Amino acid sequence: MKDKVRVGLVGSGFISAIHADSLKRCAAAELTAVASPTKGKAEAFAQKYGIAHHFTDYRQLLALDEIDLVVIGTPNYLHCECTVKAAEAGKHIVLEKPMCLTLAEADQMVDACRKAKIKFMYAEELCFAPKYVRLKQLLDSGALGHPVLIKQSEKHDGPHAPHFWDVERSGGGVTMDMGCHAIEFFRWMLGRPAIKSVYAQMGTHVHGSKTRGEDNAILILEFANGVTAVAEESWTKLGGMDDRAEVHGSKGVAYADLLHGNAIETYSATGYDYAVEKAGSTVGWSFTIYEEIWNYGFVQEMDHFVECVKEDKQPIVTGEDAKAVMEVLFAAYESAGTERKVMLPFRSPAAKPIDLWKHELGRAIKPTTT
Ligand SMILES: NC(=O)c1ccc[n+]([C@@H]2O[C@H](COP(=O)([O-])OP(=O)(O)OC[C@H]3O[C@@H](n4cnc5c(N)ncnc54)[C@H](O)[C@@H]3O)[C@@H](O)[C@H]2O)c1
């Protein structure tokens, strides 16, 4: 057994910085390499975090013998390629959400990881966020009776990088970007029962000039155990990130607000450095979060995945879970496109989920850079 799990980061953008900050707090992890294509970026990132190796081509990172675990934080359209190559190189994998662009890619990724006998872990941090972990404990303990209705929502005023807005690279709008969190949150919270049907309402209300993706969505999932789940997702909500959940049971109810509920309510006439993700202005009233990556579960997530590699344990969230989320995402876009409830299991050969809403089946993904 190795004393440390040596980790390589693919990507050096927003989420990779969170991964690096989180891994720095994991005693069993050693940040060993980082790769991203823009000249000088991986190098600057390596310097900032004290990482020994940096590359512009992630395949060089995969060729390093000493790397045990690869954490993939690239744009969505690269997830399949990076995962398959990392599996072929024999590395354990943590993959950011959403899994990929097509259902065929999802199969290919799970198969490649199974064949390589490596751990394929899906980075759904909501399953590690301390407030949501406590909420699940409440539900599991019977404190709320049996669940009837469960809700989860994520809202902010839109993503920070162009690849999210370009549906050829992202696969869809806010449902792909944030609805995927809600779907796995519901599955995890309820003990992963089968899903019977999906209904979705989508619209592009504010950002039509910069994206063909939906900027608001409501999803209704019907679980085989009778529970209804409602996800509300928005890219048009001002004032910083909102992340909340509700569990309504036969004997009680619980409300959990991940960010504003944990924040310092602040009034500042001058404004200040940082309140919370995507807060925009800090002049006037704002919600000042503290220990943001811990409250969000990122540190606990990386700690768990590193331990799974070190101790050969079964991860809480896997590539199979990521695949189940993809099926629901495709069904949601099909529902928005056909204006009807879609029954599961659902398969589609679409080149990306949003094609089922916009009816553009089969468009090629343009090779673009970030
Ligand atoms: N779990 C979460 O809450 C969360 C939050 C943000 C982003 N994400 C996910 O993380 C992924 C990245 O998002 P981001 O916000 O970090 O985007 P970003 O634009 O900030 O960073 C993307 C990084 O990928 C790199 N990259 C691009 N092409 C590459 C290639 N061929 N090889 C290696 N690196 C390459 C870019 O150089 C950049 O460093 C997306 O899939 C997104 O959905 C998850």
Side-chain angles (χ1 to χ4, degrees):
M1 177 70 55
K2 287 187 170 191
D3 57 333
K4 294 267 190 186
V5 172
R6 292 183 175 79
V7 185
L9 299 179
V10 182
S12 64
F14 176 84
I15 198 65
S16 297
I18 290 177
H19 292 154
D21 283 326
S22 301
L23 286 158
K24 280 276 170 197
R25 293 165 70 167
C26 302
E30 187 173 319
L31 259 177
T32 303
V34 58
S36 71
T38 312
K39 215 169 176 297
K41 248 189 101 185
E43 184 176 2
F45 191 97
Q47 239 164 35
K48 178 175 177 192
Y49 289 99
I51 300 173
H53 306 280
H54 56 84
F55 305 102
T56 48
D57 185 337
Y58 75 93
R59 287 170 300 186
Q60 293 171 288
L61 180 152
L62 296 180
L64 279 183
D65 264 353
E66 59 198 283
I67 300 287
D68 305 300
L69 169 65
V70 169
V71 180
I72 300 170
T74 55
N76 302 350
Y77 74 108
L78 294 168
H79 287 186
C80 178
E81 176 199 306
C82 295
T83 300
V84 170
K85 284 203 162 52
E88 285 169 357
K91 310 300 185 194
H92 297 290
I93 296 166
V94 173
L95 175 68
E96 261 308 327
K97 62 82 200 164
M99 186 182 195
C100 51
L101 294 201
T102 74
L103 292 174
E105 280 183 347
D107 289 341
Q108 189 193 351
M109 292 158 82
V110 166
D111 290 350
C113 293
R114 203 175 286 146
K115 192 168 156 216
K117 298 190 168 62
I118 51 97
K119 289 189 195 298
F120 184 12
M121 300 171 279
Y122 179 51
E124 181 41 76
E125 76 274 3
L126 296 190
C127 306
F128 301 91
K131 198 178 259 188
Y132 287 163
V133 169
R134 182 69 181 116
L135 182 64
K136 180 166 166 53
Q137 284 167 351
L138 280 176
L139 180 63
D140 290 347
S141 73
L144 308 176
H146 67 263
V148 175
L149 170 70
I150 178 166
K151 295 184 177 183
Q152 206 273 333
S153 76
E154 284 202 350
K155 296 173 185 171
H156 58 54
D157 64 354
H160 52 275
H163 57 88
F164 290 96
W165 300 100
D166 173 7
V167 298
E168 301 299 332
R169 287 183 282 170
S170 59
V174 71
T175 311
M176 271 298 268
D177 186 37
M178 311 213 290
C180 59
H181 284 303
I183 295 163
E184 187 49 26
F185 172 85
F186 296 143
R187 294 181 70 252
W188 165 71
M189 188 61 74
L190 297 173
R192 300 202 171 99
I195 299 169
K196 258 176 77 179
S197 73
V198 180
Y199 176 81
Q201 182 77 35
M202 299 181 187
T204 311
H205 301 285
V206 173
H207 297 304
S209 61
K210 62 174 167 188
T211 186
R212 289 191 293 124
E214 75 287 1
D215 57 24
N216 279 276
I218 292 174
L219 274 56
I220 302 174
L221 278 61
E222 186 187 7
F223 280 84
N225 61 2
V227 178
T228 302
V230 180
E232 283 177 29
E233 311 301 332
S234 180
W235 272 356
T236 64
K237 185 249 160 205
L238 297 168
M241 182 67 153
D242 232 12
D243 198 311
R244 39 183 100 183
E246 296 177 14
V247 178
H248 299 251
S250 57
K251 296 220 157 48
V253 63
Y255 303 97
D257 181 328
L258 214 55
L259 294 171
H260 293 185
N262 277 13
I264 301 163
E265 289 174 38
T266 310
Y267 183 91
S268 167
T270 56
Y272 56 102
D273 57 347
Y274 182 82
V276 68
E277 184 184 344
K278 297 178 177 66
S281 171
T282 52
V283 175
W285 281 107
S286 55
F287 300 91
T288 315
I289 192 69
Y290 59 95
E291 285 283 358
E292 188 172 16
I293 66 172
W294 187 87
N295 275 311
Y296 235 117
F298 286 111
V299 178
Q300 301 85 333
E301 171 187 78
M302 284 301 148
D303 207 40
H304 170 71
F305 289 149
V306 164
E307 188 188 316
C308 285
V309 171
K310 191 163 184 277
E311 312 285 341
D312 192 19
K313 287 187 180 162
Q314 171 67 15
I316 290 173
V317 219
T318 66
E320 298 285 353
D321 296 314
K323 211 169 119 170
V325 172
M326 284 304 294
E327 185 188 12
V328 176
L329 287 170
F330 270 87
Y333 283 95
E334 171 76 2
S335 170
T338 56
E339 299 180 339
R340 65 179 174 84
K341 189 156 125 175
V342 172
M343 306 307 290
L344 266 56
F346 181 76
R347 286 295 299 183
S348 163
K352 55 189 183 302
I354 197 170
D355 292 350
L356 298 176
W357 181 42
K358 299 278 184 175
H359 301 296
E360 295 167 15
L361 260 177
R363 284 175 60 109
I365 298 167
K366 277 184 269 157
T368 31
T369 51
T370 52

